[in-house]
């Protein structure tokens, strides 16, 4: 029976795992190699310790109501998007509220995690740790790895011909903290993810010129929606998710194009490349003002110049910053477990490695979602701890291994696409894990028992509180948290009293509120009606179409 659990890492996912272990009556011990909790959210002035940290100007790109622990809302006066200090303060409040600090051993590195000789019977692990030069060994019934996916900088210098001839400064974005050292310089930022966009924008205020090189392009969205509300809260909704699955992809992509003419700004995604987006409020403006120049991918380097794939050349370049992402690894594992865990597609629902006789190892936080990673890791931890206790089951190891191997082979042969680097749909993934736990919201039942709440759950933001409404881990405050989430959203902005208008709401107000849902509903009805009409016409022509599901939609007179 699982009792003692080793948690590796005290970042966002490690803190989730600690709390979930305690909720299930387990005895966790968390090992953190630094001297504080928070992981990359604990700001450091430099990167000499080799750990990935946030840069000073970083602001969260998922709003507070959509990226909180599901039974611990932010204080109402916290801003919707916050800097690293404010976010770390929230983590501190979480740690103190649930009394987690006493379970964390700081300045402790995990050297090795190996299966005990009787693992097939006990599922236990030998964990070797090192604290200030002194090694120790302990036995644990289960292990939760919470080291995240921002461990080692990915710096593919071999992919850039001539880079070794370049005389300027070359760094990875992991080393970037503040813009002071780049005053008046000509800088090329390579890579257009969230980090690359942020750094380029910040440097554009002090550098002589910033060039932003991208191979693929990207969609750029703002933190705020057209109405001024947090964009996450407006699009991460169950009904929107339903529409996205029903409507043809053309409509979805066109909806994204409406926000900004990406082609004019040099941001358009190249043909054949995967769809992706970043959150950046200022990048289009910086391009518009000429402070940032968009460039194609790099073809070659000279001593002081860079040649781009489109044939253009930028001379007198002082600095190149590679915002090319990170690589994750598990140096404390032995093969073949190390390779299995490092391959996301081999993990069952991105959590459990296949092939283990006992399900006592979970990888928490090795995911990319279209929404909050914090919310996703918490749900993973809730599920993992219940699997450890035998309250939730997963398929046998032989079946998991066979399925993972088959999937890997199909990808190798090109039959299916490699999706390990893609962002998973937030609502779909959360619902999938919640279904395993038994905490997925039952919306039809909610409409019968609590119509007001059901309306908010389906048509409102899919906030983490929804996964505390029912089933294991139910939280009595979840209903109120959902019904008051807009109050907490508006509260920090209400710093100036404005007299209320006595004028009745105008037609334009109602169109803004209901226009989009009505338009999308009409499109769905039109699309389905067209399909039905086509099927009827084909039947009249004597054609047979098996396995079609007819949607009976009332026709307009």
């Amino acid at each position: 029976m699982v009792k003692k659990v080793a948690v590796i890492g005290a970042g966002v996912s490690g803190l989730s795992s600690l709390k979930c272990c305690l909720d299930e009556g387990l005895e966790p011990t968390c090992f953190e190699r630094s001297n504080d909790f928070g992981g990359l959210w604990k700001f450091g002035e430099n990167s000499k310790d080799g750990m990935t940290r946030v840069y000073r100007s970083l602001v969260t790109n998922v709003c507070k109501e959509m990226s909180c622990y599901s039974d611990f809302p932010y204080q109402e006066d916290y801003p919707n998007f916050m800097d690293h200090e404010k976010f770390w303060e929230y983590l501190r409040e979480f740690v103190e509220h649930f009394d987690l600090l006493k379970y964390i051993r700081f300045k402790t590195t995990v050297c090795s995690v190996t299966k005990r000789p009787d693992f097939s019977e006990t599922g236990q692990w030998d964990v070797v740790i090192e604290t200030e030069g002194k090694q120790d060994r302990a036995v644990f019934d289960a292990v939760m790895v919470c080291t995240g996916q921002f461990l080692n900088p990915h710096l593919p210098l071999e992919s850039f011909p001539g880079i070794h001839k370049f005389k300027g400064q070359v760094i990875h974005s992991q080393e970037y903290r503040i813009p002071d050292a780049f005053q008046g310089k000509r800088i090329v930022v390579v890579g257009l993810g969230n980090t690359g966009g942020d750094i380029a924008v910040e440097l554009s205020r002090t550098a002589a010129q910033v060039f932003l090189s991208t191979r693929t392009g990207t969609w750029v969205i703002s933190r705020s929606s057209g109405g001024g509300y947090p964009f996450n809260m407006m699009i991460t909704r169950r009904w929107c998710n339903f529409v996205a699955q029903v409507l043809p992809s053309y409509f979805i992509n066109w909806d994204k194009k409406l926000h900004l003419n990406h082609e004019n700004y040099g941001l358009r995604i190249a043909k054949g490349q995967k769809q992706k987006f970043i959150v950046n409020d200022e990048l289009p403006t910086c391009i518009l003002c000429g402070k940032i120049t968009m460039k194609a991918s790099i073809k070659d380097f000279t001593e002081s110049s860079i040649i781009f794939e489109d044939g253009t050349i930028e001379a007198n370049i002082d600095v190149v910053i590679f915002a090319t992402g990170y690589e994750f690894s598990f140096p404390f594992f032995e093969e073949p477990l190390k390779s299995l865990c490092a391959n996301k597609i081999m993990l069952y629902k991105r959590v459990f490695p296949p092939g283990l006789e006992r399900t006592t190892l979970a990888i928490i936080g090795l995911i990319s979602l279209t929404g909050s990673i914090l919310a996703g890791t918490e749900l993973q931890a809730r599920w993992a701890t219940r699997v450890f206790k035998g309250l939730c089951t997963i398929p046998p190891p032989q079946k998991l291994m066979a399925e993972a191997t088959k999937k890997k082979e199909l990808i190798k042969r090109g039959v299916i696409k490699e999706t390990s680097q893609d962002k998973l749909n937030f609502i779909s993934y959360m619902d999938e894990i919640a279904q395993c736990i038994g905490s997925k919201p039952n919306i039809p039942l909610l409409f019968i028992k609590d119509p007001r709440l059901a309306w908010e759950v389906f048509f409102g933001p899919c906030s983490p509180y929804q996964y505390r409404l029912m089933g294991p881990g139910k939280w009595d405050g979840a209903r109120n948290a959902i019904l008051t989430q807009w109050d907490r959203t508006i509260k920090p902005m209400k710093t100036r009293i404005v007299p209320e208008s006595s004028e009745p709401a105008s037609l334009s107000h109602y169109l803004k509120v209901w226009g989009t849902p009505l338009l999308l509903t009409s499109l769905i009805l039109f699309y389905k009606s067209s399909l039905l009409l086509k099927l009827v016409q084909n039947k009249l022509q004597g054609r047979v179409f098996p396995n079609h599901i007819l949607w009976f939609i009332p026709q307009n007179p």
Side-chain angles (χ1 to χ4, degrees):
M1 179 180 176
V2 172
K3 196 67 177 176
K4 295 176 60 181
V5 180
V7 178
I8 306 176
V12 166
S13 55
L15 298 179
S16 297
S17 299
L18 267 180
K19 196 253 183 184
C20 291
C21 283
L22 296 173
D23 287 345
E24 294 297 338
L26 301 174
E27 299 173 3
T29 301
C30 179
F31 301 109
E32 168 57 43
R33 61 174 174 160
S34 72
N35 60 1
D36 213 337
F37 57 83
L40 60 83
W41 288 99
K42 184 62 178 177
F43 177 74
E45 291 292 344
N46 55 61
S47 58
K48 292 180 179 179
D49 58 1
M51 297 187 66
T52 301
R53 309 281 191 181
V54 295
Y55 35 95
R56 179 176 288 172
S57 63
L58 185 136
V59 175
T60 57
N61 56 27
V62 180
C63 65
K64 65 177 183 179
E65 292 301 311
M66 304 299 287
S67 187
C68 62
Y69 292 112
S70 58
D71 56 355
F72 192 71
Y74 286 88
Q75 295 181 37
E76 62 177 11
D77 61 344
Y78 269 44
N80 286 283
F81 297 95
M82 55 200 77
D83 60 26
H84 63 85
E85 290 181 337
K86 202 69 174 177
F87 183 78
W88 189 86
E89 183 66 18
Y90 170 72
L91 296 181
R92 185 191 62 77
E93 292 171 358
F94 179 78
V95 167
E96 289 184 357
H97 182 80
F98 294 105
D99 198 18
L100 304 181
L101 198 60
K102 62 186 179 184
Y103 300 99
I104 307 174
R105 292 181 58 178
F106 294 108
K107 297 183 179 180
T108 300
T109 302
V110 175
C111 303
S112 69
V113 178
T114 55
K115 294 189 287 186
R116 286 182 60 78
D118 58 353
F119 180 83
S120 58
E121 297 176 5
T122 65
Q124 292 182 327
W125 300 85
D126 273 324
V127 178
V128 177
I129 58 174
E130 182 176 310
T131 306
E132 297 180 346
K134 182 181 178 182
Q135 285 199 350
D136 196 7
R137 181 186 301 269
V139 176
F140 288 91
D141 301 314
V143 176
M144 302 177 80
V145 180
C146 309
T147 51
Q149 50 191 334
F150 303 105
L151 216 58
N152 305 310
H154 175 59
L155 193 58
L157 297 181
E158 67 282 356
S159 301
F160 294 88
I163 184 67
H164 298 295
K165 295 183 293 184
F166 183 64
K167 299 295 186 181
Q169 183 182 6
V170 176
I171 65 171
H172 188 274
S173 57
Q174 186 204 41
E175 300 176 54
Y176 180 82
R177 292 293 185 274
I178 55 177
D180 301 21
F182 302 95
Q183 179 81 33
K185 295 187 177 181
R186 288 170 59 82
I187 303 168
V188 174
V189 178
V190 181
L192 184 48
N194 283 307
T195 300
D198 282 351
I199 291 176
V201 165
E202 182 171 46
L203 288 175
S204 71
R205 303 185 186 107
T206 57
Q209 184 62 46
V210 174
F211 304 94
L212 183 50
S213 170
T214 175
R215 179 173 51 87
T216 61
T218 187
W219 298 111
V220 179
I221 62 176
S222 175
R223 287 178 173 82
S224 63
S225 65
Y229 296 104
F231 190 78
N232 313 116
M233 297 183 76
M234 303 306 291
I235 65 166
T236 312
R237 303 183 177 209
R238 292 184 179 277
W239 77 268
C240 292
N241 201 49
F242 170 76
V243 168
Q245 293 173 356
V246 173
L247 278 180
S249 60
Y250 171 81
F251 287 98
I252 307 303
N253 289 337
W254 179 248
D255 177 63
K256 291 175 182 174
K257 292 177 186 176
L258 291 175
H259 292 88
L260 181 74
N261 189 320
H262 285 68
E263 185 171 2
N264 287 349
Y265 282 74
L267 295 165
R268 182 178 177 179
I269 295 177
K271 187 176 181 180
Q273 297 293 335
K274 294 179 180 178
Q275 300 292 308
K276 68 171 187 174
F277 68 88
I278 66 170
V279 178
N280 198 300
D281 304 304
E282 301 177 67
L283 180 57
T285 302
C286 290
I287 296 172
L288 202 60
C289 297
K291 295 300 293 180
I292 294 178
T293 302
M294 296 302 303
K295 304 296 292 186
S297 56
I298 295 174
K299 182 180 180 181
D300 200 1
F301 282 84
T302 68
E303 289 188 355
S304 61
S305 303
I306 296 179
I307 305 168
F308 296 90
E309 289 289 351
D310 57 7
T312 59
I313 301 174
E314 295 296 341
N316 302 317
I317 299 300
D318 300 299
V319 184
V320 177
I321 301 176
F322 284 92
T324 45
Y326 293 84
E327 298 172 344
F328 50 87
S329 62
F330 305 97
F332 39 76
F333 285 144
E334 296 178 334
E335 294 292 357
L337 186 58
K338 180 187 293 187
S339 297
L340 281 176
C341 293
N343 192 340
K344 291 182 182 180
I345 64 168
M346 298 293 281
L347 301 177
Y348 179 61
K349 298 189 186 299
R350 305 294 173 98
V351 176
F352 295 105
L356 293 177
E357 304 94 317
R358 298 282 178 175
T359 311
T360 56
L361 173 63
I363 311 298
I364 307 296
L366 198 60
I367 49 170
S368 295
L369 301 175
T370 56
S372 167
I373 299 297
L374 183 152
T377 61
E378 183 194 26
L379 208 56
Q380 286 182 329
R382 287 174 61 188
W383 179 39
T385 50
R386 292 186 66 78
V387 169
F388 291 162
K389 290 192 68 176
L391 300 174
C392 295
T393 59
I394 67 173
Q398 298 84 357
K399 183 179 179 180
L400 290 181
M401 194 65 183
E403 289 178 351
T405 303
K406 180 181 179 182
K407 188 174 183 179
K408 189 175 181 181
E409 182 61 28
L410 290 174
I411 291 174
K412 187 177 180 181
R413 287 161 47 194
V415 177
I416 61 176
K417 292 182 178 180
E418 163 65 271
T419 59
S420 63
Q421 301 303 316
D422 295 353
K423 289 188 175 183
L424 302 175
N425 180 283
F426 177 76
I427 295 177
S428 299
Y429 182 75
M430 294 287 282
D431 279 356
E432 184 180 356
I433 302 301
Q435 185 77 49
C436 298
I437 300 171
S439 60
K440 179 184 175 183
N442 187 330
I443 297 175
L445 181 62
L446 279 178
F447 268 110
I448 296 171
K449 297 177 63 176
D450 194 339
R452 182 189 175 197
L453 177 61
W455 181 271
E456 282 296 324
V457 168
F458 187 73
F459 290 104
C462 185
S463 48
Y465 319 121
Q466 292 193 9
Y467 300 98
R468 292 282 186 178
L469 286 170
M470 53 190 62
K474 179 181 177 181
W475 174 46
D476 291 338
R479 182 183 187 276
N480 184 63
I482 292 171
L483 296 180
T484 58
Q485 57 193 353
W486 285 110
D487 296 334
R488 289 188 300 279
T489 299
I490 299 298
K491 173 68 174 178
M493 297 186 288
K494 291 288 187 178
T495 56
R496 170 177 169 256
I497 299 175
V498 180
E500 292 186 8
S501 173
S502 59
E503 297 179 6
S506 63
L507 175 62
S508 62
H509 169 78
Y510 290 111
L511 286 175
K512 287 178 182 178
V513 174
W514 293 105
T516 301
L518 288 174
L519 175 60
L520 290 173
T521 302
S522 301
L523 286 171
I524 294 173
L525 293 176
F526 174 77
Y527 178 62
K528 293 300 180 184
S529 299
S530 301
L531 287 180
L532 180 59
L533 181 61
K534 187 174 181 180
L535 288 172
V536 171
Q537 289 173 342
N538 288 334
K539 278 204 166 209
L540 291 175
Q541 294 171 6
R543 299 178 184 176
V544 179
F545 292 87
N547 301 323
H548 271 91
I549 300 175
L550 295 179
W551 286 63
F552 295 97
I553 301 173
Q555 299 297 304
N556 294 326

